[in-house]
Amino acid sequence: MLVHFPIVLIYTLAAIDLVALARGNAVTRRSGAGTISTFVALAAGAFAIGTWFYGGLALDHAEAAGFSSDIAEIHESLGGITAFAFLIWGGVRLALWVRNRELGPVAIAVPVIEIAGAVLVTTTAYYGGLLVYDLGVNVSRAAMGG
């Protein structure tokens, strides 16, 4: 399920960077940790954009069937913000990696920003969960049979 990739990737990214920084590894250099971290950030941005695009198609499908909800609008707005924030963060991480320099004491900002991204994607996912589990949007009911 595509929608889960950005969630998993941003949590993984924050964990990688927290561990790397705790061990004294620079995540903005072309090192092992820095390269893995940078490409996880890029993957999070790419999958977030894909998720946002296909989520928009799913909402269009639901609205064509007569669905309308403020929760859907909140989720759609948060999804767009999340997607473009992750895309921009992936670009920033790539630029820092290409630059190949340590950030020094400012390096703590990297996992702090990623934790903020995890909060954002969790909030977005919460509203998505409301759509699916509370409102049943685009969910086919399983047939009960014997």
Side-chain angles (χ1 to χ4, degrees), residues 84-96:
F84 286 99
F86 285 13
L87 183 66
I88 290 167
W89 184 241
V92 167
R93 290 301 309 275
L94 181 62
L96 291 169

Side-chain angles (χ1 to χ4, degrees), residues 53-137:
F53 175 77
Y54 285 109
L57 294 177
L59 180 59
D60 292 345
H61 177 74
E63 288 175 339
F67 175 78
S68 179
S69 169
D70 289 340
I71 293 173
E73 298 305 319
I74 292 168
H75 180 65
E76 180 182 32
S77 296
L78 287 171
I81 292 166
T82 301
F84 286 99
F86 285 13
L87 183 66
I88 290 167
W89 184 241
V92 167
R93 290 301 309 275
L94 181 62
L96 291 169
W97 183 78
V98 168
R99 187 172 162 252
N100 198 27
R101 292 193 196 132
E102 291 187 38
L103 294 178
V106 180
I108 192 65
V110 171
V112 168
I113 290 167
E114 292 162 357
I115 290 168
V119 170
L120 179 60
V121 79
T122 300
T123 304
T124 304
Y126 170 77
Y127 283 99
L130 290 177
L131 288 173
V132 172
Y133 296 110
D134 289 357
L135 301 176
V137 178

